[in-house]
Amino acid sequence: MTRVLELVDQWLRLDKDPVTRAEIQTLLAQNNIDELESRLSTRLDFGTAGLRAQMGAGFNRLNSLTIIQTSQGLAEYLLSTLPNAAAAGIVVGYDARHNSEHFADLAAAVFERKGIAVWWYEDIVHTPLVPFAVKTLQAAAGVMITASHNPARDNGFKVYVSNGCQINTPEDSKISNSILQNLEPRTWASQATSLRRPVLTSMQSQYMQCLGQLPHLPESGDPSVRFVYTPMHGVGLRYMIAAVEMVGMRSGMTVVLQQAQPNPDFPTVEYPNPEEKGALDLAKSTADEQSISLIMANDPDADRFAAAEKVGDDWHQFTGDQVGVLLAYWTFSSISSQLTTDDVMLTTAVSSQMLSYMAEAEGFSAQETLTGFKWLGNVAQDLKEQGKRVHFAYEEALGYMCPSIVSDKDGITASLMFLSACFKWGSPWAQLQELYEKYGYFETTNTYWRSSNNQKTQLVFEAVRNLEQPFPSRVGHRKVTRWRDLTTGYDSATEKNVPDLPTSANTQMITCWLDGSDSDDGIRFTIRASGTEPKIKLYLECRSKNQQSAHRGAVEVLQYIRQNWFQDPSLRIEDRFTDA
């Protein structure tokens, strides 16, 4: 009780926001000690994703005070590590969520007080416009206030460093330490100074010019390419309109009116994530009413892209891997006459292996990274410094990157690439079937288990590791041909058993390769712990000569894993929208 009261006093001393002060005072008046302890006893962890959390009063919520503290820590870190940080400046943008503009304004005020120039977006923007400006303006860093596709109660503080990529380790821990050393608010003023320079018009114009340089864009639009578009109550519509107008295809676009304008409450969807079941229901009904067979969607901050096509009487929502492979093939087709092994495309260790088979067949290189664009973006830049040409990167979670434009996922660029491909191919579904015939059928089954807590998650992984030493020799009737554990730092297929990807004892990630059967060519699956919530995620893929046998192989191994590895009754499996 005494400790909680001390934390309340500390909060009320630091917080000058009347709304969040009142929240804590109300909880104190109600003697709600448990809730006060929950909100005040721990701090938000600053990681490679920056901050993303529920808004509200408390040290482990996102609010005016924690935004100011985080901004102060980031400012001090930049000033101490980059000699020209003040002049180079920080790009600041925000989306249409509750409090996004307010939080961005507070962050900008902190930077200005430190004498750091602020490249300021005067209106809502899609997230990729922040790393685009960091690269274009050669800024010291960028901050985007967004929680992407999280529920309406959440917001976030996303950080890009001077190369235009998301922060990675060990920078995240250094910034986190700097935040802890700068917790006393030095300003609550949000009045712009001469250091705050508006850049919206300039950056939007230059961004669109870069989009216009994508290879094989339609020279003049075809009104027969009709599609339904939804920005999912987010910021994407103005950018999507500008993109399709540039290629003369605006007349073919029908917008889902109920989701067209930014609305921070996301009233028509349970989760504003096109990856979730039901998220595209309004788009499908709109398309059916208009007899349109193609749907394109962005998430609320328009860094992700999703697509669906009417195949016969049913809608097929493309998985992130399927869209990624289609866009990779479109990219390859655009540059195929000049390809060498110095031409590279990237994907992640939990995404489909189909890109690697395509690369091997077509003469370019494919490389895998750890999950997330903090890896894809930075690896792309490392390869560029080595003289390689990285043309495209993707991850299965609906993220697609064109490094010549942005070193992060970009839903608008992906939309324009996909639409241009449809202009040439007609049906993306039909094109995908041709690719399966050419490179093999890849059946992906992605799902997850909810764990009661992170400790339970760790115990589950330890149980898997203890099935057999040094690793299980079989999964069901299939032989294990390779075992890679990026937590313990073991890989059965490499020299001295050292993994070919970075390892971390603080994350749980195991990948297993299985031999083929009479009807398929083998299976790879990865189990990993979510870094943000108590989930165990599974990414499983079977390759075969036809879809039916690939599906059978994937289902067979999934069932075995469910029954033998994750049989603990406290684990609850939840299928994603894919065919798990």
Side-chain angles (χ1 to χ4, degrees):
M1 179 70 173
T2 302
R3 169 63 176 159
V4 171
L5 292 178
E6 290 174 353
L7 290 170
V8 168
D9 288 342
Q10 183 182 1
W11 176 266
L12 294 176
R13 183 181 67 81
L14 295 172
D15 186 22
K16 306 303 181 187
D17 186 322
V19 175
T20 45
R21 284 179 62 86
E23 280 187 49
I24 295 300
Q25 289 168 333
T26 298
L27 291 171
L28 183 62
Q30 294 169 345
N31 200 33
N32 194 338
I33 301 301
D34 290 343
E35 183 65 16
L36 286 168
E37 186 169 15
S38 171
R39 290 174 177 239
L40 297 171
S41 62
T42 60
R43 294 193 58 82
L44 289 177
D45 289 328
F46 184 94
T48 55
L51 298 178
R52 191 179 295 186
Q54 182 177 344
M55 290 177 281
F59 295 120
N60 69 353
R61 297 283 195 274
L62 212 65
N63 49 65
S64 297
L65 176 60
T66 53
I67 287 288
I68 289 172
Q69 292 173 327
T70 303
S71 302
Q72 289 178 166
L74 175 61
E76 290 290 353
Y77 170 78
L78 293 172
L79 291 170
S80 65
T81 56
L82 297 176
N84 67 331
I90 301 175
V91 179
V92 178
Y94 55 93
D95 68 5
R97 284 178 174 267
H98 291 295
N99 294 314
S100 283
E101 183 177 4
H102 172 60
F103 290 161
D105 198 29
L106 288 174
V110 168
F111 302 146
E112 290 170 284
R113 191 179 191 280
K114 288 288 184 181
I116 300 173
V118 173
W119 306 105
W120 175 252
Y121 281 122
E122 316 94 277
D123 199 356
I124 56 175
V125 295
H126 74 315
T127 290
L129 215 54
V130 168
F132 177 82
V134 171
K135 180 178 73 171
T136 303
L137 298 169
Q138 298 182 315
V143 170
M144 177 68 186
I145 305 298
T146 181
S148 191
H149 54 269
N150 275 38
R153 68 182 187 180
D154 293 349
N155 215 323
F157 185 102
K158 189 173 185 178
V159 178
Y160 297 88
V161 287
S162 59
N163 65 357
C165 295
Q166 294 181 40
I167 55 170
N168 207 340
T169 53
E171 280 184 307
D172 59 333
S173 60
K174 294 178 181 178
I175 295 171
S176 180
N177 290 335
S178 182
I179 293 168
L180 294 177
Q181 295 167 14
N182 291 276
L183 297 178
E184 193 75 28
R186 295 182 177 89
T187 181
W188 284 85
S190 58
Q191 177 126 13
T193 71
S194 60
L195 288 172
R196 192 178 306 198
R197 302 159 189 174
V199 294
L200 180 63
T201 301
S202 171
M203 289 301 102
Q204 283 181 337
S205 175
Q206 292 185 58
Y207 173 80
M208 286 300 162
Q209 288 176 16
C210 287
L211 283 189
Q213 295 170 11
L214 288 170
H216 286 207
L217 292 178
E219 293 183 6
S220 60
D222 184 350
S224 67
V225 180
R226 302 172 64 219
F227 65 99
V228 165
Y229 172 71
T230 174
M232 205 69 68
H233 296 296
V235 302
L237 183 59
R238 72 170 66 167
Y239 299 100
M240 188 64 180
I241 288 175
V244 296
E245 284 182 343
M246 181 172 59
V247 294
M249 301 181 78
R250 174 67 178 91
S251 62
M253 182 171 79
T254 297
V255 179
V256 180
L257 294 179
Q258 302 95 317
Q259 299 173 335
Q261 299 305 316
N263 187 326
D265 294 317
F266 311 117
T268 66
V269 291
E270 185 175 1
Y271 297 103
N273 181 357
E275 199 173 16
E276 295 285 346
K277 289 181 178 179
L280 295 185
D281 285 353
L282 267 177
K284 291 174 183 177
S285 62
T286 301
D288 286 337
E289 290 168 4
Q290 302 289 329
S291 298
I292 295 173
S293 61
L294 182 65
I295 291 171
M296 297 168 59
N298 293 127
D299 65 345
D301 69 326
D303 65 348
R304 285 175 170 82
F305 166 74
E309 183 179 359
K310 194 75 172 282
V311 181
D313 295 329
D314 299 317
W315 281 100
H316 172 78
Q317 184 167 344
F318 294 96
T319 68
D321 280 315
Q322 290 171 338
V323 172
V325 166
L326 285 168
L327 293 180
Y329 187 74
W330 171 251
T331 302
F332 154 71
S333 301
S334 302
I335 58 174
S336 57
S337 62
Q338 310 155 24
L339 279 176
T340 72
T341 53
D342 284 338
D343 292 284
V344 184
M345 297 192 205
L346 299 174
T347 188
T348 69
V350 302
S351 301
S352 175
Q353 300 168 94
M354 191 170 177
L355 180 61
S356 295
Y357 282 86
M358 182 192 299
E360 184 176 359
E362 305 298 353
F364 64 92
S365 299
Q367 292 190 25
E368 292 184 353
T369 73
L370 292 180
T371 57
F373 280 85
K374 64 186 179 185
W375 293 103
L376 289 167
N378 282 290
V379 169
Q381 297 214 1
D382 291 344
L383 289 170
K384 182 179 178 181
E385 291 175 3
Q386 298 168 25
K388 308 290 186 181
R389 296 177 293 274
V390 183
H391 300 281
F392 176 70
Y394 91 91
E395 68 173 0
E396 53 78 38
L398 306 185
Y400 316 96
M401 179 179 85
C402 182
S404 64
I405 299 176
V406 175
S407 295
D408 196 14
K409 55 187 174 290
D410 183 350
I412 300 300
T413 299
S415 299
L416 187 59
M417 292 172 67
F418 193 82
L419 188 60
S420 300
C422 291
F423 177 79
K424 179 178 180 180
W425 297 335
S427 165
W429 171 258
Q431 180 64 41
L432 183 63
Q433 305 318 301
E434 290 185 20
L435 297 184
Y436 284 148
E437 290 290 337
K438 188 173 185 178
Y439 305 119
Y441 283 80
F442 294 77
E443 180 81 2
T444 57
T445 298
N446 299 337
T447 189
Y448 60 82
W449 287 262
R450 287 193 181 275
S451 176
S452 54
N453 54 60
N454 290 325
Q455 184 178 13
K456 167 62 71 175
T457 299
Q458 186 170 346
L459 291 174
V460 169
F461 276 88
E462 289 306 314
V464 170
R465 292 188 180 98
N466 291 330
L467 289 170
E468 196 174 335
Q469 295 298 324
F471 58 88
S473 58
R474 309 190 77 84
V475 174
H477 71 271
R478 294 177 183 262
K479 180 181 178 181
V480 175
T481 60
R482 182 181 177 186
W483 181 273
R484 183 178 66 199
D485 189 334
L486 296 181
T487 308
T488 63
Y490 176 84
D491 191 331
S492 66
T494 60
E495 186 178 357
K496 298 182 181 179
N497 299 129
V498 177
D500 52 3
L501 290 173
T503 63
S504 172
N506 298 321
T507 60
Q508 299 287 344
M509 185 170 176
I510 295 172
T511 302
C512 177
W513 286 258
L514 306 177
D515 66 356
S517 68
D518 293 339
S519 59
D520 64 61
D521 299 327
I523 287 174
R524 181 179 79 170
F525 68 87
T526 295
I527 53 173
R528 60 181 286 263
S530 169
T532 57
E533 52 190 329
K535 285 182 180 178
I536 301 171
K537 297 185 176 183
L538 170 73
Y539 310 83
L540 187 151
E541 180 176 64
C542 180
R543 180 177 185 265
S544 185
K545 295 178 178 62
N546 59 72
Q547 192 273 336
Q548 293 79 13
S549 58
H551 181 74
R552 280 197 305 272
V555 169
E556 165 214 324
V557 174
L558 174 60
Q559 289 177 343
Y560 181 88
I561 292 172
R562 280 178 170 177
Q563 295 167 7
N564 295 275
W565 287 18
F566 300 115
Q567 71 273 34
D568 190 312
S570 68
L571 299 174
R572 182 163 58 92
I573 191 167
E574 295 193 22
D575 294 338
R576 299 170 71 180
F577 79 89
T578 50
D579 35 55

